[in-house]
Amino acid sequence: TGAGCATAGCHLDPGNGTSFMIAAPAGATEFQAALDGISTGGGRALVAGGNLNDSELYLRITGTGVPKMPFGGSLADGEITTITNWIEQGGTFD
């Protein structure tokens, strides 16, 4: 899942203007802290554990949020299901 987001250049190059870098944190605790610290500008959390409609990530990968992610394409249905289930189960890395 992450490979497409990174290889598209959106979340790999800090010079592209995005606030979230896939490769930045090393472990689960650091990754969770990175997610918690991101402001989406839309008043929603990037990942709101247990709440799909308040999770910017979910809205963008399903095409109901703007901009849609990934740009110029879509994740596979199985990838969206995996992320959806993860958010529904709390969206944590423990």
Side-chain angles (χ1 to χ4, degrees), residues 1 10 17 21-22 24-26 36 40 43 51 63 67-68 74-75 79 84 91:
T1 299
C10 297
M21 297 288 100
I22 287 176
D36 293 344
T40 63
N51 191 335
K68 183 181 182 307
S74 296
L75 296 176
E79 293 173 318
T84 299

Side-chain angles (χ1 to χ4, degrees), residues 32-47:
Q32 185 70 52
L35 286 178
D36 293 344
I38 293 175
S39 171
T40 63
R44 287 184 288 270
L46 181 63
V47 174

